[in-house]
Amino acid sequence: MIISKPFKTINMNKNTPLNNGMQPGLQTEVAIIGAGTSGLYSAFRLTDTGKYAGGQVQIFDMSERLGGRLESVILPGMNFWGELGGMRYLTSQEIVTTLIEGYPLTEKDPAKRTPVLNDHMTPIPFPMGNPADLLFYLRKEHFKQDAWNVAQQNGEKLVTRYYLNDDDIGFSSDQLFNKIIYDVLMADPWFARNYSDRVTKGPTEYDYGFKLTSEDWDEVKPNLVYHFPGSPYDGRKVNDLGFWNLIKDQVSEEGYQFVANAGGYYSNTINWNAAEAFPYMVGDFSADVTYKTIEEGYDSIAYALANQYMGIPGACIWSENKLLTFSKGHELRDTFRYELTFLNIPANQIWHVYANHIILGMPRKSLELLDQQNFFFNSNENTVLDRNIRSVIMEPAFKILMGFREPWWKKLGIDSGHSITDLPMRQCYYFGTDPENDNSMLLGSYGDMETETFWKALSDDTVLFKVSAAESASLVELKALEREQATQLMVNEIMAQLREVHQIEIPEPYVTYFRDWSDDPFGAGYHAWKAGVAVWDVMPYMRKPDADENIYVVGEAYSDQQGWVEGAFCEAEKMLKSHFHLTRPIWLSDSYYMGW
Ligand code: FAD
């Protein structure tokens, strides 16, 4: 992402005032826990619609910053943002796109759209690079990312070091995923009868197309049956199968290893719910879908929502305040249903807040870290809530940004996008170059699932990477980042892997920035539904787990766009519609489907 506009002129305000103090006895209508995207969106909607005044909606977060799993950072000496968490959006994701780009989205000229939020965010393409330059390094073999297509155009099949079934040789991993999904869909007579006009095969043996909408998928996912006589899974609902189980059954364990390795993310091919994996893997094939990001950093979407809410008198974001528990049997119970107990972290002091509604905008691990013995979680007796909280798999993820004094990857003709390997680093993204001094950023690792323990042993080491001088990077700025550095051992290992993948000399970085999202309170970078879960029931259940209580769970974890900000927004929007009776936002197109 090469940013043309100098950082200094950016007009996005990230100095949102946070209050890390306390006000014992504070009374409010709605207490929102979590200043991540789902919590901030809920606060924005509840106040922007005039439903509540600012003082009636209060946000609490244990962190000293807002944004949750969105965190954009500037590395010293570089004039553009790097992303430690979420980094891009799809233009098919209509809530996030509209909040960033204005409405209606049918108006192609952005200048003619009406903005929803006051802060200006600049949408820019998220470049995916040129497959003819980007690398694959699998089982110690180097390829360019277009190697499969080049071979196919020459009427050849690219042979790799994976012992694939004869029928599967020559397919790229994306093509093989599509083949598996097509074959399973069309093997079910019910699907073939009702939806065969929405999938295509050909013109070549490698081409498959899927034109199912999200609504179609919500019809297909609970109903699809696995029809493969002789298979251990014959006759079972695909929703009851793990994705790994299904892939192995279709293309052998070697085929599984191939798609898992070449796909870049182990999180896509863990043994999660196979029916949920299908639409996730084939992506959104509606017209004109592209990846974009925000020039001012992807966390701008969180700041813009927070600023909008903070513009309402009485609004407050209570940072560094950790929710411990909440109860009902308190003195003010005639006027406020709930007493919330917070730990104020700077003062290490307990204080109480009173509210009539509690919105928990947080993921699974954060929920599990709350008092599990209170009346709501009551984990010994409320086994349904307990089971539903555990219906998603927590997927570890970490990111390490590395600042180099030169864009060494340009020697290979690479300017953006990512390279993929089966080494534990898995992927690296080439993030951009500051044109004034050549300083360049690389997303050095994007480890998940299987690679976690490999890196954990290195990241637990005590010796941190030592920052060093670079052009335009003051030592004061660099020193301020000392605590955020990856360990020296980890950097050494990543450098060894980068050299093995790229096969050129690579200079040492001058700075790094490390974030492990499996640390508390997140417990995971993102989530995935377990096999056998009735997702269509659990999603609405989690939005209000107890019909008699005004307690709501929103966020990415229990959405059907897991791993995306849009999932967090859709859950919040549906919860606000059903339980706070908000009408659909005027800025959101009537036809946009938000799922179960
Ligand atoms: P969170 O952002 O997790 O917010 C939860 C908040 O609750 C946190 O601020 C936390 O501090 C607070 N909290 C927890 N417990 C307590 C407590 N007891 N008391 C007070 N506060 C508490 N999405 C995309 O759209 N595009 C991407 O490219 C993308 N890439 C990603 C890459 C990575 C590495 C990761 C980790 C995520 C990525 N995502 C991406 C996902 C996206 O970041 C999340 O879906 C989204 O930010 C989740 O928002 P949330 O509101 O559900 O929860």
Side-chain angles (χ1 to χ4, degrees):
M1 279 171 286
I2 299 170
I3 311 293
S4 51
K5 203 188 320 175
F7 169 49
K8 281 88 194 167
T9 66
I10 284 169
N11 53 6
M12 174 76 224
N13 169 23
K14 294 195 182 178
N15 292 318
T16 313
L18 301 178
N19 184 347
N20 69 354
M22 33 181 177
Q23 188 182 321
L26 175 69
Q27 301 177 354
T28 187
E29 267 311 298
V30 187
I32 299 178
I33 321 302
T37 44
S38 62
L40 292 167
Y41 180 86
S42 304
F44 151 67
R45 290 278 290 133
L46 286 169
T47 51
D48 193 64
T49 47
K51 170 104 183 164
Y52 291 111
Q56 292 177 301
V57 177
Q58 301 285 288
I59 306 181
F60 303 84
D61 201 297
M62 60 191 280
S63 171
E64 62 218 359
R65 58 168 194 90
L66 60 80
R69 280 173 280 158
L70 297 187
E71 188 175 2
S72 313
V73 292
I74 296 265
L75 292 185
M78 271 179 255
N79 210 354
F80 53 91
W81 295 87
E83 305 292 354
L84 292 168
M87 60 182 179
R88 57 189 173 180
Y89 62 100
L90 284 163
T91 49
S92 57
Q93 299 173 328
E94 290 196 13
I95 298 185
V96 75
T97 307
T98 309
L99 292 176
I100 295 166
E101 302 186 16
Y103 70 102
L105 293 177
T106 45
E107 171 57 64
K108 292 295 164 216
D109 179 359
K112 293 193 182 142
R113 293 188 191 156
T114 309
V116 179
L117 301 173
N118 295 333
D119 284 345
H120 176 74
M121 289 167 270
T122 317
I124 49 170
F126 184 91
M128 289 305 285
N130 182 359
D133 300 320
L134 293 165
L135 307 174
F136 260 119
Y137 178 61
L138 300 169
R139 294 201 173 160
K140 296 194 110 183
E141 203 176 3
H142 289 92
F143 319 88
K144 293 290 169 58
Q145 284 186 8
D146 67 350
W148 283 267
N149 287 335
V150 170
Q152 289 163 16
Q153 277 155 15
N154 295 334
E156 293 160 9
K157 288 178 186 285
L158 186 77
V159 176
T160 62
R161 292 181 179 166
Y162 293 83
Y163 295 102
L164 301 178
N165 294 344
D166 287 349
D167 287 353
D168 304 332
I169 294 173
F171 283 72
S172 72
S173 61
D174 287 349
Q175 291 167 336
L176 198 51
F177 273 126
N178 286 346
K179 177 178 190 268
I180 294 167
I181 294 169
Y182 178 91
D183 287 349
V184 173
L185 290 173
M186 289 301 282
D188 180 353
W190 168 82
F191 182 92
R193 213 167 37 248
N194 292 291
Y195 293 97
S196 55
D197 58 334
R198 268 159 267 186
V199 293
T200 55
K201 186 176 175 175
T204 78
E205 64 176 304
Y206 306 104
D207 299 321
Y208 295 90
F210 303 88
K211 298 249 179 299
L212 293 120
T213 63
S214 307
E215 275 154 298
D216 292 335
W217 279 115
D218 276 3
E219 188 65 30
V220 169
K221 286 185 290 185
N223 290 306
L224 190 69
V225 174
Y226 193 75
H227 273 283
F228 290 89
S231 153
Y233 314 119
D234 183 41
R236 294 296 300 267
K237 288 262 172 77
V238 172
N239 189 71
D240 292 341
L241 305 181
F243 197 33
W244 180 0
N245 304 139
L246 180 145
I247 296 173
K248 184 216 158 258
D249 202 53
Q250 288 290 311
V251 295
S252 81
E253 181 60 18
E254 271 294 281
Y256 171 77
Q257 292 298 335
F258 171 63
V259 292
N261 291 343
Y265 297 91
Y266 285 132
S267 50
N268 289 344
T269 49
I270 56 160
N271 212 20
W272 66 304
N273 186 305
E276 288 297 318
F278 277 20
Y280 195 91
M281 293 310 299
V282 299
D284 192 317
F285 278 69
S286 49
D288 289 342
V289 173
T290 46
Y291 282 122
K292 286 190 182 175
T293 189
I294 305 173
E295 187 173 19
E296 295 84 1
Y298 197 45
D299 69 0
S300 301
I301 182 69
Y303 283 95
L305 287 168
N307 293 339
Q308 199 85 9
Y309 159 72
M310 288 301 289
I312 313 265
C316 186
I317 303 176
W318 300 86
S319 59
E320 297 182 72
N321 278 293
K322 178 180 183 182
L323 179 69
L324 302 179
T325 190
F326 41 92
S327 64
K328 287 204 290 191
H330 56 89
E331 283 175 7
L332 300 182
R333 61 183 168 273
D334 292 341
T335 21
F336 291 96
R337 287 181 75 131
Y338 306 116
E339 180 186 72
L340 295 89
T341 305
F342 285 96
L343 171 69
N344 179 266
I345 296 170
N348 194 22
Q349 206 172 312
I350 301 287
W351 62 296
H352 298 293
V353 172
Y354 298 90
N356 280 317
H357 300 265
I358 301 176
I359 299 178
L360 301 169
M362 50 173 68
R364 172 178 160 179
K365 184 68 187 288
S366 302
L367 293 172
E368 290 175 338
L369 288 170
L370 298 174
D371 171 15
Q372 300 297 294
Q373 304 312 317
N374 77 5
F375 73 94
F376 177 72
F377 290 104
N378 190 10
S379 55
N380 293 336
E381 282 171 37
N382 192 351
T383 52
V384 180
L385 177 57
D386 188 49
R387 192 181 61 237
N388 286 343
I389 287 178
R390 288 186 289 105
S391 63
V392 293
I393 301 168
M394 294 189 278
E395 307 199 52
F398 70 81
K399 280 193 174 179
I400 173 169
L401 298 174
M402 304 173 104
F404 291 92
R405 295 181 187 83
E406 59 182 272
W408 48 263
W409 47 87
K410 291 208 169 146
K411 286 185 212 145
L412 296 169
I414 298 173
D415 80 341
S416 62
H418 62 157
S419 289
I420 296 177
T421 172
D422 58 354
L423 293 179
M425 63 173 265
R426 299 294 280 129
Q427 296 191 46
C428 64
Y429 272 86
Y430 311 95
F431 255 21
T433 299
D434 187 327
E436 282 178 17
N437 52 28
D438 254 11
N439 289 339
S440 299
M441 191 191 290
L442 180 101
L443 177 54
S445 182
Y446 202 97
D448 48 17
M449 297 316 281
E450 271 122 280
T451 59
E452 219 232 338
T453 52
F454 180 91
W455 294 110
K456 192 74 189 154
L458 304 178
S459 67
D460 281 350
D461 195 61
T462 48
V463 183
L464 295 185
F465 176 77
K466 288 215 171 20
V467 294
S468 59
E471 200 184 328
S472 326
S474 80
L475 269 180
V476 178
E477 279 178 296
L478 285 163
K479 292 270 176 210
L481 280 187
E482 267 177 348
R483 276 191 333 151
E484 310 294 348
Q485 298 308 298
T487 64
Q488 184 67 53
L489 258 186
M490 190 168 189
V491 174
N492 292 350
E493 177 60 44
I494 290 176
M495 291 302 295
Q497 294 186 24
L498 284 172
R499 290 179 179 122
E500 189 174 345
V501 171
H502 294 84
Q503 304 246 287
I504 55 171
E505 269 183 36
I506 304 180
E508 294 293 318
Y510 67 91
V511 65
T512 68
Y513 208 124
F514 177 68
R515 179 70 74 242
D516 185 350
W517 294 102
S518 39
D519 288 345
D520 287 345
F522 302 100
Y526 14 74
H527 300 79
W529 292 103
K530 289 182 180 169
V533 171
V535 181
W536 49 95
D537 287 335
V538 180
M539 280 176 54
Y541 173 90
M542 289 303 290
R543 295 197 289 268
K544 191 174 197 284
D546 185 333
D548 297 328
E549 300 295 346
N550 298 335
I551 300 170
Y552 321 92
V553 177
V554 289
E556 164 270 345
Y558 301 96
S559 76
D560 64 358
Q561 294 190 57
Q562 289 163 319
W564 292 99
V565 166
E566 186 74 355
F569 286 159
C570 286
E571 287 321 287
E573 186 55 42
K574 284 178 291 185
M575 184 282 288
L576 294 168
K577 175 170 184 276
S578 312
H579 306 304
F580 286 85
H581 311 294
L582 295 194
T583 49
R584 194 178 174 92
I586 50 151
W587 42 263
L588 187 63
S589 80
D590 290 339
S591 57
Y592 184 53
Y593 176 69
M594 285 181 271
W596 289 312

